[in-house]
Amino acid sequence: MFLNGLTEITLPLKNPVLQFSLILFIILFVPFFLKRLRIPSLISLIIAGAVAGPHGLNLMLRDSSIILFGTVGLLYIMFLAGLEIDVADFKKNSGKSILFGLYTFLISQLLGFFVALYVLGFSLLSSVLIGSIFASHTLIVYPVVSRLGIAKDKAVNIAVGGTMITDTLALLVLAVVAGSSSGELTSAFWIRLFIGITIFSLIVLLLFPFIARWFFKRFDDSVLQYLFVLGMVFFAAFLAEVAGVEAIIGAFLGGLSLNRLIPHTSALMNRIRFAGDAIFIPFFLIGVGMLIDFRAFFKDAETIKVALVITVAATVAKYFSAWITQKIYGFSVDQRRLIFGLISAHAAVALATVLIGYNSITGYTLDGDPVRLLDKSVLNGTILFILVTCTLASIVGEKGAQNIAFAELADEASSPDVHAAPERILIPMNDMKTVDELVNLGITIKSPKNRDGLFALHVADSTSPGGAVEKHAEKLLEKAVITAASTDNDLTGVFRYDTSVANGIAGVAREQRVTDIILGLHHKSSLADSFLGGLSEMLLATCNGTIFIYKPVQPLATIKRTIAVIPEGAESEEGFIFWKDRLSNMVNNSSSKLIFYASKQTLGYLKEYHSASFPNAEYKIFRTLDEFSGLAKEVRSDDNIVVVMSRRNYRSWHSRMAKIPAYLGKYFGRNSFILIYPVQSGGADESIAFSESRLSGGIQFSMVPLRSQVESMLKRVSFKRISLRRNRKEPQ
């Protein structure tokens, strides 16, 4: 068949452009239509691969490109699992994960061995190999967990951590059996394996974070950062293969090593998830489906028998492991379902194991036919085994994940936080160089569940010429909108004319009912300038919201520790609960370690009433604010200093606070720091108060927000000039 007399179209498709286009349409439409039949999207792609593959309609071959993208997809799943896991909780539950992985492996390995040996009648080595197929599993349900936002659930942490144990042991069994069948199982084999795994683990877990932190500090280009992360992950996978273990272990450890450097609310994390969900993971699922040959199931009764026996036995083993975990740790039924869904799907590792067993020839018959470790009935039966277990795992795991996510939403709705107010964060900006970091701080301190409530503001002198000022404002606000949009957050850009920058900021804050203001630390232009600058001091005197004054030296993602200095009596301030929530969000979203420095009384209050907000914080006594010189000896270059201040004459205010800017400039000039001025009265309902005398100046302004729209491809921002209305009659 010819298209325009030029391109011949034959089956299977050979044209790479048409082949790739077909795969994209499969990813786009098949899950949408099969969802109406209540078929999970994961299974719909596997079915689509089986129908379109060489054993179905023969539209495509499972060629090198499908294998390449499929391998990337599998590694991507393991990488995301390591990247999204709660490291602090993972460390806390590491013993539970190891225990879970060990008994899950033993139950599956032993049951698989005895079923293969006594029910199916295989040899000793073949039975051990089939047991390793039972023991391993693939986290194909993890993308659902990630999408529903429950990746930090304790059951998920234990299951994901246990996966590393079970898959490592299963692959070790595979290596031992393969070595035994080929006569290579010597003491040198064990020494080489132990040394290789040790060196590989040290390189990935210790050296990778150091290199990544160096890179992120010096390169802020989003494309370069994404390519760097992918390069590190796949290099970790290669190092794992060199060490003698499977590449998926390297991908998981690579994600774990980069976990703290890629915040969950960052633009980089958004790009990583997008590429995986849109391209790589669907390719992997379609590639798995292409292995399925439905006709083989009806050609040989032995294939049906093997498939049925190993499917039932493996499913029972995984369910028993999930049931034991539920009983030991007191999990809910839905958490048991979720664990079962995560550990019961068998795909890549099972396929690799059975292919190695099929290609391992242990001898020859009298007729000259090869005697394989695993025969063709096991190969074909494993394909059906993969299809059934992936389907069952997707249905059960997705049901459990959805119920857990719905329960979390219901809990939040039934017990709202009385202190929680709609977050409306205003970020005044004038310097193009600091736009990204100021917006990133705003995204980091707010709740990740709120996707709006961010405002970027540029105030221009009303006497300045309009054209150049508006172009500068448009560039600033466009960059801010794009930065926020890259993290799936909505930001409203606002441009305003005023005779005073402080008046303009205060006016917008009142009109937009702002709860928090983020200011960048000004650059001193003369010796007469104060440390904070006239603008910041005026806003502190006129605005009564929570004000953050931020000096970014390095990206928030590269911060190792957050040092929070709390003044004595801070817990008695009205605004304590508000800055406490923002600090908790910042630490959780950036994955930095938090260390409190405060008086004994304040530390006791934080431990007793707010330990849930800071579950992994350290507490150190800091008697007076004059101890900054001693604190400087404990602060490292990758630390972020947070100092909670107070306005004059309020409960936690002390005259020594006047010295803090000088201390910061003297001792912490190479560190990022944030000064927090809490709201002093009115709480969230009156978050911004104004000094009317300062705002009255004979000029009134009507403010129209910038209507910013980021297009999906062009990311263009529409811009409107703000009308200026004076008391005297002038044309607007």
Side-chain angles (χ1 to χ4, degrees):
M1 181 179 177
F2 292 87
L3 184 64
N4 294 334
L6 297 175
T7 304
E8 182 180 3
I9 300 178
T10 59
L11 296 181
L13 297 175
K14 299 293 193 303
N15 188 307
V17 177
L18 188 58
Q19 188 177 6
F20 193 75
S21 177
L22 175 61
I23 292 175
L24 292 181
F25 281 124
I26 289 174
I27 297 172
L28 178 64
F29 291 114
V30 169
F32 173 76
F33 288 112
L34 293 187
K35 190 175 182 180
R36 297 184 176 183
L37 301 176
R38 299 186 180 277
I39 297 176
S41 58
L42 301 177
I43 297 306
S44 64
L45 291 175
I46 294 176
I47 294 174
V51 173
H55 305 299
L57 299 177
N58 198 28
L59 299 179
M60 294 178 295
L61 294 176
R62 193 173 186 272
D63 56 16
S64 58
S65 62
I66 300 294
I67 295 173
L68 172 63
F69 277 95
T71 302
V72 172
L74 173 61
L75 297 179
Y76 220 93
I77 291 174
M78 296 301 295
F79 164 56
L80 282 175
L83 193 62
E84 294 186 337
I85 198 170
D86 188 326
V87 173
D89 199 40
F90 179 71
K91 289 181 178 178
K92 187 189 302 181
N93 295 310
S94 59
K96 297 176 181 177
S97 295
I98 293 172
L99 178 62
F100 169 77
L102 288 175
Y103 67 68
T104 299
F105 169 79
L106 289 174
I107 291 171
S108 301
Q109 179 71 49
L110 292 175
L111 184 59
F113 172 76
F114 287 114
V115 165
L117 186 64
Y118 295 109
V119 178
L120 298 177
F122 288 110
S123 66
L124 186 65
L125 276 181
S126 299
S127 300
V128 172
L129 201 56
I130 289 177
S132 72
I133 295 175
F134 279 35
S136 65
H137 52 261
T138 303
L139 295 172
I140 68 164
V141 179
Y142 189 83
V144 176
V145 171
S146 176
R147 187 172 65 248
L148 292 174
I150 59 171
K152 293 187 177 182
D153 187 88
K154 187 176 181 180
V156 176
N157 270 324
I158 291 176
V160 170
T163 296
M164 187 175 65
I165 304 299
T166 56
D167 282 0
T168 300
L169 292 175
L171 293 168
L172 184 59
V173 170
L174 172 61
V176 171
V177 171
S180 178
S181 64
S182 60
E184 296 178 357
L185 198 62
T186 62
S187 58
F189 167 84
W190 294 107
I191 294 173
R192 185 171 62 251
L193 183 64
F194 175 77
I195 294 176
I197 292 176
T198 302
I199 295 175
F200 149 72
S201 301
L202 291 175
I203 291 175
V204 174
L205 294 178
L206 298 181
L207 186 59
F208 274 32
F210 176 80
I211 296 173
R213 182 171 280 105
W214 175 88
F215 186 91
F216 290 148
K217 283 182 180 180
R218 288 159 178 80
F219 300 95
D220 58 0
D221 183 85
S222 58
V223 176
L224 290 179
Q225 288 185 347
Y226 180 73
L227 293 176
F228 170 78
V229 169
L230 282 191
M232 294 290 281
V233 169
F234 288 100
F235 186 62
F238 168 74
L239 290 178
E241 291 185 331
V242 172
V245 294
E246 193 64 27
I248 57 175
I249 305 301
F252 177 81
L253 287 182
L256 201 61
S257 69
L258 299 176
N259 184 290
R260 289 188 179 277
L261 297 171
I262 306 177
H264 296 174
T265 57
S266 66
L268 180 57
M269 176 65 88
N270 191 49
R271 294 184 180 96
I272 290 171
R273 288 180 180 140
F274 172 79
D277 292 341
I279 300 294
F280 297 127
I281 296 175
F283 256 95
F284 164 67
L285 297 173
I286 291 173
V288 171
M290 287 183 176
L291 294 169
I292 299 172
D293 183 4
F294 293 104
R295 293 169 294 184
F297 307 146
F298 305 101
K299 292 180 180 178
D300 184 6
E302 187 66 20
T303 296
I304 299 296
K305 176 185 175 183
V306 170
L308 184 62
V309 169
I310 64 175
T311 300
V312 172
T315 302
V316 169
K318 296 299 184 182
Y319 179 83
F320 188 51
S321 297
W323 180 83
I324 290 176
T325 308
Q326 178 197 6
K327 297 304 178 183
I328 292 177
Y329 303 120
F331 288 155
S332 66
V333 173
D334 286 317
Q335 286 177 308
R336 184 192 69 205
R337 288 176 180 146
L338 180 55
I339 292 173
F340 175 76
L342 287 168
I343 68 173
S344 62
H346 300 264
V349 180
L351 181 64
T353 303
V354 75
L355 287 176
I356 290 174
Y358 181 74
N359 293 325
S360 297
I361 300 174
T362 59
Y364 292 90
T365 64
L366 295 176
D367 297 331
D369 297 326
V371 177
R372 303 177 185 274
L373 202 57
L374 297 178
D375 59 25
K376 196 168 186 178
S377 65
V378 179
L379 177 62
N380 292 329
T382 302
I383 301 301
L384 180 59
F385 166 68
I386 290 173
L387 175 63
V388 174
T389 57
C390 287
T391 302
L392 185 62
S394 299
I395 294 172
V396 177
E398 190 166 335
K399 180 178 177 60
Q402 288 176 346
N403 289 345
I404 291 172
F406 291 152
E408 289 182 357
L409 291 175
D411 289 342
E412 292 174 4
S414 62
S415 57
D417 186 351
V418 295
H419 301 289
E423 297 167 320
R424 301 178 71 83
I425 301 172
L426 180 65
I427 312 172
M429 52 185 59
N430 186 50
D431 187 355
M432 189 72 72
K433 296 178 181 178
T434 61
V435 169
D436 286 343
E437 284 305 313
L438 292 176
V439 173
N440 287 335
L441 178 61
I443 293 169
T444 305
I445 66 172
K446 74 179 187 62
S447 171
K449 296 182 180 179
N450 296 330
R451 293 296 181 182
D452 53 11
L454 290 173
F455 299 86
L457 169 66
H458 178 69
V459 179
D461 188 345
S462 58
T463 62
S464 301
V469 169
E470 291 181 3
K471 286 182 179 179
H472 177 62
E474 181 176 6
K475 291 180 180 178
L476 277 173
L477 299 176
E478 179 179 6
K479 186 175 183 181
V481 170
I482 291 174
T483 300
S486 66
T487 63
D488 280 343
N489 283 279
D490 296 326
L491 180 144
T492 301
V494 181
F495 172 54
R496 181 165 182 146
Y497 282 110
D498 207 310
T499 54
S500 165
V501 175
N503 287 350
I505 294 172
V508 173
R510 179 174 57 182
E511 292 162 3
Q512 295 297 332
R513 303 185 305 281
V514 165
T515 58
D516 307 85
I517 298 177
I518 297 176
L519 302 172
L521 185 69
H522 87 304
H523 299 286
K524 294 180 68 172
S525 57
S526 68
L527 293 176
D529 282 353
S530 66
F531 181 82
L532 296 180
L535 172 62
S536 298
E537 292 180 344
M538 186 174 293
L539 288 174
L540 289 171
T542 59
C543 296
N544 190 27
T546 305
I547 296 180
F548 300 80
I549 300 178
Y550 180 36
K551 176 195 172 186
V553 173
Q554 64 186 77
L556 280 171
T558 63
I559 296 296
K560 285 185 177 181
R561 305 188 306 171
T562 297
I563 308 296
V565 180
I566 316 298
E568 186 175 5
E571 66 275 13
S572 62
E573 297 272 13
E574 291 88 342
F576 170 84
I577 196 69
F578 299 105
W579 69 255
K580 184 270 298 183
D581 288 342
R582 302 296 186 263
L583 181 61
S584 176
N585 290 337
M586 183 177 73
V587 172
N588 291 332
N589 291 334
S590 63
S591 298
S592 63
K593 182 180 181 180
L594 177 63
I595 304 176
F596 280 115
Y597 284 82
S599 66
K600 186 175 181 180
Q601 180 180 347
T602 301
L603 292 180
Y605 180 81
L606 286 168
K607 291 179 184 179
E608 183 174 358
Y609 297 105
H610 299 285
S611 59
S613 299
F614 310 104
N616 301 297
E618 289 186 14
Y619 301 87
K620 297 187 177 183
I621 294 178
F622 190 77
R623 293 178 180 84
T624 68
L625 295 176
D626 290 328
E627 295 183 4
F628 265 86
S629 58
L631 180 63
K633 298 176 183 178
E634 300 183 32
V635 172
R636 305 165 189 168
S637 60
D638 290 321
D639 290 346
N640 181 29
I641 315 298
V642 176
V643 183
V644 178
M645 306 287 283
S646 180
R647 292 171 174 84
R648 183 177 292 273
N649 298 327
Y650 280 90
R651 295 176 183 175
S652 64
W653 182 83
H654 195 279
S655 58
R656 294 190 186 93
M657 285 186 178
K659 300 180 181 179
I660 288 180
Y663 288 145
L664 291 172
K666 181 178 180 180
Y667 297 113
F668 307 107
R670 296 183 179 180
N671 290 91
S672 297
F673 63 77
I674 303 172
L675 297 177
I676 302 179
Y677 290 84
V679 58
Q680 299 292 346
S681 62
D685 296 330
E686 299 178 25
S687 52
I688 300 293
F690 300 89
S691 170
E692 295 298 335
S693 61
R694 290 177 181 265
L695 292 177
S696 60
I699 299 178
Q700 296 179 351
F701 301 94
S702 65
M703 188 275 295
V704 180
L706 178 70
R707 302 297 181 187
S708 304
Q709 182 66 37
V710 180
E711 300 293 343
S712 58
M713 297 297 293
L714 301 178
K715 294 186 177 179
R716 297 294 303 275
V717 182
S718 62
F719 183 78
K720 287 189 177 182
R721 179 172 179 171
I722 309 304
S723 61
L724 174 67
R725 185 175 72 246
R726 300 182 182 273
N727 285 340
R728 59 182 182 274
K729 295 182 179 180
E730 291 184 2
Q732 296 185 20

